[in-house]
Amino acid sequence: MKKYSVINTRVPRVDALSKVMGNARYADDLSMPGMLYGALLQSPLAHAKILNIDISKAQKLPGVKDIITAREAGRIRFGVSPARYDETIFCHNKVRYVGDEVAAVAAIDADTAREAVSLIQVDYKELPPVLDIFEAMKEGAPLIHDDYPGNIGAEVHQEFGHVRAAFKGCDYIRTDRFTNKKQDGAFLEPQACLAVFDLNGQLTLYTSTQTPHYVQRTLSMVLNIPIGNVRVIQPYVGGGFGPKASANTIELAASLFSMRTGRPVKMTFTREQVFMHSRGRHQFFHELTTGVKKDGRLVALHNTCYLDGGAYSSFGIATVYYAGSLLGAPYKLPNMKYDGYRVYTNKPACGAQRGHGGVAARAAFEQQLDIIAGELGMDPIEFRLKNIMQRGDVTCNDFNMSSLGMKECIEAVRNDSGWKKKKKKLPKGKGIGMACGFFVSGAGYPIYRSETFHSTAMIKLSEDGGTADLYTAAAEIGQGSDTILTMIAAEALGVGVKDVKIRSGDTDYGIDLGAYSSRQTLMAGHAVKQAAEDVKRQVLEVLSGKLGIPVNTMDIKDGMVLFRKKVNFSGLRSLYEKEHRGWPEQPGGNALTFKEAARIAYLEKGVVVGGGAYKPGELGGTYKGAAVGTSPAYGCSAQVVEVTVDMETGKVTVDNMTDAHDCGFAINRTNVEGQMQGSLSMGLGETFFEEVKFDNKGKIENPTLGEYRIPTSLDMPNVRTIIVESDEPNGPFGAKEVGEGAIMPTIPAILNAIYDAVGVRITELPATSERLLMAIKEKNKK
C-alpha cells in the first residue's frame, strides 16, 4: 500500500487540548449581553385534546418578556422527510405524548421562565393513550394522526428474487422472532441553543446539533426567513449518536423568541427533556424466516418488522426501510422479501441512532444464522465464510460491494481470538460467540429531494504562506471529524497537520449534510481532498511559470517542494527573504519550502483559494425505496465475544471482545480504534442494560442517567481491535466508514456467546440477569 506522511498514522486530535484544558465551549456555556432564557411547557398527558390555554397569570409575572403558543408560532409543519412532515413548533389541537410541547416562556432568567411556565393553565380533554403498536393497529383504535389510518405512518413491501419459489427449493427453513426495547442516545451534553436575531434581519443560531444544514433549512421554512439570512453555528458538541440530527423545538422557539423580542435567547433541555424529546432507537419486532440448502448455502429470507415509532415520524420513514434493506449483505442472498410497518404510538418520537435501523435486524439475523449453522452441523464461522460476499459483488437489492473486507474481518477475529481452540471446548458457564455487521458509508441521497452536493470545502492559504485555512460545514460531534479532515487536507496539500487550521460546523462555510449515516469521512473527506489538491495545483502552476519547468515535474510533500531534476530557485528564495526580513524561521537548505512557494503564489495571484465539492455518482437501484440503503461504499465488521455466565444468578460477565472492522483505509488509526471501542461499549449497553421504561399512562419512568443505565469503563471487558483495510475506490485515499457500522455485530456476538455458555437463546433485549435466569430455569425443566 502507498506510503503517506500524515494519514494512516496516530495524530492526536486537533481539539484535544481545548477539551482537556476545559477551554472548549458548548452551547450552554455561551452567553450574550441582554440575553433572555426560555423554558418549555410540555404536556403531562400522553393523548389529549387542548381545550384552552390561559397565559394571563404567567404574563403578569415580573421578568417575563414573551410567551408563545401555537397561536403565535403558527402551524407550518416540519420534520425530517418532507413526505412525512407531521410536527409543528407547538401543539395546536391535541398533544400526542407526555412531553409534547404546548408553550414556551422567555424571561430575564431561567428561574423566572420556569416559574412562568408553571403559571400557564391548559385545559385538556384526556383521550385514551395508545402505547402498544399491535393495539394501535387494531380496527377502532384511537387515531394519533388523522392522516394515517391504523396508526401506520409508513409501510414498506419489497421483494428481490422470488422468495416463495425459493423456499420450495430449500432443504431447511426456520422462523425466529426477536425484539429490542426503545433506547436513548445517552449523550453527555443535553441539547442547548442560543438564538440571535439582529437589526439586519439576520438570524444566527448557535446549537448543539449534528446537522447544521438541515437545521438551517427548517428554521428558514418554519419561521419564514430567507435561507440566506439564517446562519447555524455548531459550538463544541458533547455527543449525538443520531438524536441530534434534526431540528428540535427549542431551536425553533428560541429563534422565534429572538425575532419577537430583539434579544438573544438561550434554551437548554434538562436531562428529562432529552428523554422526552428522544429521537433515539425504535423498538423493533422482527420475524425472520430463512431458508438454506443442506450444504449451508443461504437461499431466501423473509423479514417482517414492526417498529414502535412514537408520536411523530422524525427519521422513521428511513428507519423502516433500513430495517429491511441492510440484511441484503454481507452474505450472498439471492432472494429477499421485506414487509415493514412503522406505527404511531403516544410515546416520544423515535428516530435515528447509531447503526440506524439495522442494529436489531442484525441481532436477529446473526443469531438465527448461528442456529441454522448448528442445525446443519457447521461451525458458525465456516457457515458465514461459505456465504460471504466479496469485492465486486452486487446484492439482490443492488448494493455494490466496491470494496468488502468481510472475509478478512472474519478470519482476523477467528485467528486472534483463538476460536478453534475454544469453540465447544470451554467449561460450562463459559462461552464464545461471533457475528458480522454491515453498514452504509453515508446515505446516497439527501433527506430532501435535491441535486445538491453533499459536502463542499474551501482552503485558503494565508498571505504570508505559512498556513492553510480549511473551511467546512462538516459537523464535529466528538467523533473526530475535525482531526480526520485536517489530516486529509494536510496529506493532499503536502504539508504537516500543524500547518492546517480547520473551521467547521458553520453554514456560512459551505454545504455539508451533517454527521449521520457514517458519512463524514467519505463525503466531507472527498470535498476537502479536492480543495487541497486545487490549492496545491495553483501553487505549482505559479512555480512552473516562475521557474520555467512543467508542473508535472514538481510535487509538494512534507512541507517541501520536490523537483524531479535540480532547479535553481535562488531568485524565489531571495524574494521571500526580502518579504520576510526580520521574521523568525527563515527558510534555508537546499529545498524550496511550501511557505516560500505559497508566498510566491500569493504575490502572483493574490488570495489563493481552492474549492472542493462532493456528491455520490450513480448508485444502484431503481425500485421504490432504493434511495434508502444505497451508498457509495459499505463498511463491514466481525466480532468474537467471550462470556462467563453465573448459573445461579444469570449474571453475565463479558471477558473478551475481539473486533475487526473494514474501514477501507484508516486515516487516523487511533480514531478508528476509538470508534470501534465506542461502538462495542454502546452495543454492550444495549445488550444488557438499556431500556426506556413507561408507566401505563405513557410517562417515562427512568428519565435520568442514574436510572437509565449505560456502560461505564468498569463494565468494559478487554477489547482487541483489528483494522482491516480494503482500499475503497470511492473513498478519499480509500477510506470509508467506521463510526456506526462497528456496533452491528456486538449484540448478536454476545447473545451467541451466552448460548454457547448455557444453551439458551435470548430473543428479547435487554438480556438482564433476571431474563437469562428465567430462560435457564425454563431450559432445565425440559
Side-chain angles (χ1 to χ4, degrees):
M1 192 166 279
K2 187 178 177 181
K3 295 289 186 184
Y4 295 100
S5 298
V6 178
I7 60 175
N8 207 234
T9 63
R10 296 182 180 277
V11 172
R13 290 177 60 128
V14 297
D15 55 2
L17 273 181
S18 294
K19 290 182 173 176
V20 170
M21 300 300 290
N23 296 326
R25 300 186 75 202
Y26 297 80
D28 194 49
D29 295 327
L30 304 179
S31 180
M32 288 190 176
M35 187 174 76
L36 300 177
Y37 295 79
L40 285 176
L41 174 66
Q42 293 170 280
S43 170
L45 302 173
H47 199 192
K49 285 187 177 179
I50 298 174
L51 303 179
N52 185 51
I53 302 174
D54 182 357
I55 62 172
S56 57
K57 290 184 180 177
Q59 283 178 313
K60 294 173 184 172
L61 185 70
V64 170
K65 297 300 181 183
D66 198 12
I67 300 175
I68 52 178
T69 66
R71 188 173 64 179
E72 292 76 22
R75 299 183 180 185
I76 295 177
R77 289 188 175 191
F78 70 96
V80 174
S81 169
R84 290 294 185 282
Y85 281 173
D86 56 7
E87 298 182 61
T88 54
I89 301 178
F90 298 109
C91 304
H92 56 84
N93 60 352
K94 70 174 184 177
V95 294
R96 295 179 171 87
Y97 70 97
V98 176
D100 216 351
E101 293 87 357
V102 177
V105 174
I108 57 172
D109 56 53
D111 288 342
T112 303
R114 285 193 289 267
E115 184 179 352
V117 161
S118 71
L119 297 175
I120 298 174
Q121 179 66 45
V122 183
D123 297 326
Y124 295 104
K125 179 184 178 183
E126 193 165 358
L127 300 171
V130 184
L131 303 175
D132 179 278
I133 61 168
F134 299 105
E135 293 296 322
M137 289 186 289
K138 286 183 179 177
E139 188 174 350
L143 285 184
I144 297 169
H145 293 270
D146 293 339
D147 300 342
Y148 297 100
N151 291 310
I152 297 174
E155 191 171 340
V156 178
H157 301 283
Q158 295 177 329
E159 182 167 5
F160 307 97
H162 303 281
V163 170
R164 178 177 293 182
F167 277 140
K168 291 180 180 177
C170 290
D171 297 313
Y172 179 70
I173 299 172
R174 70 170 290 123
T175 297
D176 293 287
R177 296 178 181 82
F178 183 85
T179 187
N180 66 330
K181 293 296 188 319
K182 175 179 170 60
Q183 287 151 357
D184 184 80
F187 37 81
L188 290 182
E189 181 210 15
Q191 289 95 333
C193 66
L194 170 60
V196 185
F197 189 75
D198 65 25
L199 296 175
N200 296 316
Q202 175 81 34
L203 173 66
T204 302
L205 180 73
Y206 303 85
T207 183
S208 175
T209 181
Q210 298 176 229
T211 53
H213 174 69
Y214 289 137
V215 173
Q216 179 196 36
R217 286 177 58 88
T218 302
L219 291 172
S220 173
M221 180 183 74
V222 177
L223 302 179
N224 194 26
I225 310 173
I227 196 163
N229 288 1
V230 180
R231 181 182 186 186
V232 176
I233 300 174
Q234 176 203 52
Y236 282 92
V237 173
F241 307 116
K244 292 182 181 175
S246 58
N248 60 50
T249 301
I250 60 173
E251 292 168 333
L252 289 156
S255 298
L256 182 57
F257 274 137
S258 187
M259 293 169 66
R260 287 165 57 89
T261 64
R263 296 170 65 169
V265 179
K266 182 160 79 173
M267 298 185 76
T268 303
F269 275 157
T270 64
R271 180 57 64 180
E272 182 177 17
Q273 288 174 322
V274 170
F275 274 86
M276 290 194 291
H277 177 69
S278 186
R279 319 293 157 139
R281 195 175 315 287
H282 293 65
Q283 183 176 20
F284 297 82
F285 297 84
H286 278 281
E287 178 181 287
L288 303 181
T289 299
T290 301
V292 298
K293 291 287 190 182
K294 59 185 177 185
D295 64 358
R297 281 177 294 147
L298 284 168
V299 176
L301 166 67
H302 183 189
N303 172 16
T304 302
C305 182
Y306 295 89
L307 293 73
D308 184 346
Y312 297 103
S313 286
S314 182
F315 273 90
I317 195 165
T319 315
V320 69
Y321 275 106
Y322 273 132
S325 64
L326 291 176
L327 291 187
Y331 307 110
K332 293 176 181 175
L333 186 60
N335 304 283
M336 184 171 75
K337 184 178 180 182
Y338 174 58
D339 298 297
Y341 306 85
R342 187 181 188 271
V343 183
Y344 287 117
T345 58
N346 290 119
K347 297 177 187 172
C350 297
Q353 189 165 314
R354 198 175 203 165
H356 186 188
V359 171
R362 182 58 55 187
F365 195 43
E366 293 288 329
Q367 269 209 103
Q368 188 180 57
L369 294 181
D370 251 42
I371 297 170
I372 293 172
E375 294 290 332
L376 297 177
M378 296 180 68
D379 178 89
I381 284 183
E382 296 306 317
F383 176 71
R384 286 173 171 83
L385 286 172
K386 187 177 187 66
N387 287 286
I388 213 70
M389 301 183 79
Q390 303 217 6
R391 185 188 192 105
D393 286 344
V394 178
T395 68
C396 65
N397 52 344
D398 278 344
F399 296 175
N400 186 345
M401 302 299 105
S402 46
S403 67
L404 192 74
M406 192 70 257
K407 178 172 180 287
E408 291 78 5
C409 286
I410 294 176
E411 291 175 342
V413 297
R414 178 190 63 190
N415 298 338
D416 203 83
S417 67
W419 173 270
K420 291 184 177 178
K421 294 180 181 177
K422 297 174 181 175
K423 183 62 177 173
K424 293 186 176 180
K425 297 168 186 170
L426 296 174
K428 190 175 183 181
K430 286 186 173 290
I432 187 169
M434 75 86 57
C436 296
F438 173 83
F439 199 64
V440 298
S441 278
Y445 298 89
I447 289 171
Y448 58 94
R449 290 183 184 275
S450 173
E451 297 296 319
T452 183
F453 284 96
H454 291 211
S455 188
T456 63
M458 180 182 75
I459 293 178
K460 171 181 167 296
L461 299 184
S462 63
E463 285 74 8
D464 65 12
T467 306
D469 293 306
L470 165 60
Y471 296 86
T472 168
E476 166 66 79
I477 60 171
Q479 84 282 39
S481 63
D482 274 4
T483 304
I484 299 302
L485 298 179
T486 298
M487 293 175 74
I488 288 174
E491 185 68 54
L493 185 52
V495 300
V497 167
K498 65 179 176 52
D499 299 318
V500 178
K501 291 184 170 52
I502 186 168
R503 293 164 176 82
S504 65
D506 186 331
T507 53
D508 270 10
Y509 296 162
I511 294 288
D512 189 274
L513 300 186
Y516 68 97
S517 293
S518 230
R519 58 177 295 284
Q520 213 79 93
T521 294
L522 190 146
M523 297 190 176
H526 260 305
V528 168
K529 182 170 182 283
Q530 286 177 26
E533 290 169 344
D534 188 19
V535 166
K536 180 178 179 179
R537 175 189 56 78
Q538 293 179 58
V539 171
L540 292 179
E541 284 177 352
V542 170
L543 290 183
S544 173
K546 294 288 184 184
L547 298 171
I549 59 175
V551 169
N552 60 8
T553 63
M554 297 178 287
D555 197 1
I556 301 173
K557 194 171 180 61
D558 299 331
M560 299 292 178
V561 180
L562 306 181
F563 298 101
R564 193 173 297 170
K565 295 180 179 177
K566 188 172 182 180
V567 173
N568 181 0
F569 55 81
S570 58
L572 300 182
R573 172 154 293 170
S574 296
L575 177 59
Y576 181 89
E577 289 172 344
K578 287 178 182 175
E579 293 276 332
H580 295 77
R581 188 174 291 118
W583 286 35
E585 299 181 356
Q586 288 289 337
N590 298 324
L592 185 68
T593 66
F594 171 75
K595 277 187 179 181
E596 294 172 282
R599 176 65 178 179
I600 299 302
Y602 161 72
L603 294 175
E604 177 74 13
K605 294 170 63 75
V607 179
V608 180
V609 177
Y614 173 80
K615 57 183 172 182
E618 186 175 349
L619 299 171
T622 56
Y623 55 90
K624 183 181 180 183
V628 182
T630 46
S631 173
Y634 297 90
C636 60
S637 51
Q639 289 175 23
V640 168
V641 173
E642 297 171 57
V643 301
T644 300
V645 180
D646 186 324
M647 303 292 287
E648 299 297 322
T649 65
K651 180 183 177 183
V652 180
T653 302
V654 178
D655 301 315
N656 290 294
M657 303 176 91
T658 306
D659 182 25
H661 190 95
D662 169 21
C663 64
F665 181 71
I667 302 298
N668 185 315
R669 301 187 72 83
T670 302
N671 207 69
V672 170
E673 291 168 353
Q675 288 287 351
M676 293 166 70
Q677 292 159 0
S679 288
L680 267 61
S681 171
M682 209 158 178
L684 185 145
E686 295 190 25
T687 305
F688 291 116
F689 314 130
E690 298 188 39
E691 175 184 3
V692 179
K693 298 179 180 178
F694 296 87
D695 66 16
N696 60 8
K697 294 287 188 181
K699 184 179 180 182
I700 299 174
E701 294 183 313
N702 55 343
T704 72
L705 292 183
E707 298 164 293
Y708 182 90
R709 294 181 60 205
I710 59 175
T712 70
S713 57
L714 297 177
D715 296 302
M716 285 301 292
N718 296 318
V719 174
R720 162 82 167 140
T721 52
I722 304 168
I723 296 173
V724 171
E725 296 176 316
S726 59
D727 193 17
E728 168 56 49
N730 297 323
F733 294 110
K736 55 184 181 182
E737 76 89 28
V738 63
E740 295 196 49
I743 194 175
M744 291 292 182
T746 305
I747 297 172
I750 293 173
L751 297 181
N752 287 336
I754 290 174
Y755 176 79
D756 190 52
V758 295
V760 299
R761 289 287 175 190
I762 300 298
T763 58
E764 180 179 354
L765 295 180
T768 60
S769 300
E770 294 81 0
R771 186 165 280 132
L772 181 54
L773 187 60
M774 292 292 288
I776 293 171
K777 288 182 176 179
E778 193 65 29
K779 174 177 178 285
N780 291 338
K781 288 180 185 176
K782 297 177 181 177

